[in-house]
Amino acid sequence: MKKKIFFSLIWAISSISLYSSSIDINLNTNVPSTYATYNLYYQEELIANETTDFSIETTSITESGQTESFSIVATSNLNSKRTIFIEIITNPFYNISNTSLSEEQANSKIQPEAIFISKDYILEPGYNKDKKVSEFYLQWNGNSNLDSGDYQSNVIINYYLE
């Protein structure tokens, strides 16, 4: 009787394996890389994609002053670490309303300086959404001994992925 049960059990197990099978299924997909996008903001206003020229009214340069903050924000899902290069070139404030002044006289010799609040510069691998990679403002020391008129400083902000 024990032999009969044993053989019945063997037959049952073997017949299950004869009538059943399994398969592994792999679901494959792809998330395409999106190139890093980065934008320049002044306060909360996107300025770089709208125009290449942007004007900010400041206090009189007879006194020291500064702008509100600028920030560079990036979005990417790349698989490698990227560095964002940032270069800020400032020029002195020039008197642009009094055309009778020589270039030397028109130059206020007041040159804004970029002060960085944060400069991460690194875009880590993986999904980054609106990551602030840099924040800075411009400041200057005033001079009360200037000719009257309108003054302008040309500031160039270059930024790109290395």
Side-chain angles (χ1 to χ4, degrees), residues 33-51:
S33 295
T34 55
Y35 294 103
T37 59
Y38 37 93
N39 295 300
L40 178 65
Y41 289 82
Y42 181 66
Q43 296 174 314
E44 300 297 319
E45 181 181 353
L46 174 64
I47 60 173
N49 282 350
E50 303 301 319
T51 182

Side-chain angles (χ1 to χ4, degrees), residues 32-36 75-82 123-128 161:
S33 295
T34 55
Y35 294 103
T75 297
S76 171
N77 73 347
L78 297 175
N79 291 324
S80 59
K81 183 188 300 188
R82 296 297 178 103
L123 199 55
E124 294 294 336
Y127 184 72
N128 293 282
L161 220 59

Side-chain angles (χ1 to χ4, degrees), residues 44-61:
E44 300 297 319
E45 181 181 353
L46 174 64
I47 60 173
N49 282 350
E50 303 301 319
T51 182
T52 56
D53 294 325
F54 187 75
S55 295
I56 300 169
E57 292 297 321
T58 66
T59 59
S60 174
I61 59 171

Side-chain angles (χ1 to χ4, degrees), residues 22 24 49 70 114 158:
S22 69
D24 289 340
N49 282 350
F70 292 86
N158 294 315

Side-chain angles (χ1 to χ4, degrees), residues 15-43:
S15 67
I16 290 173
S17 64
L18 289 174
Y19 297 111
S20 69
S21 60
S22 69
I23 186 169
D24 289 340
I25 297 175
N26 296 317
L27 300 176
N28 298 318
T29 186
N30 179 277
V31 175
S33 295
T34 55
Y35 294 103
T37 59
Y38 37 93
N39 295 300
L40 178 65
Y41 289 82
Y42 181 66
Q43 296 174 314

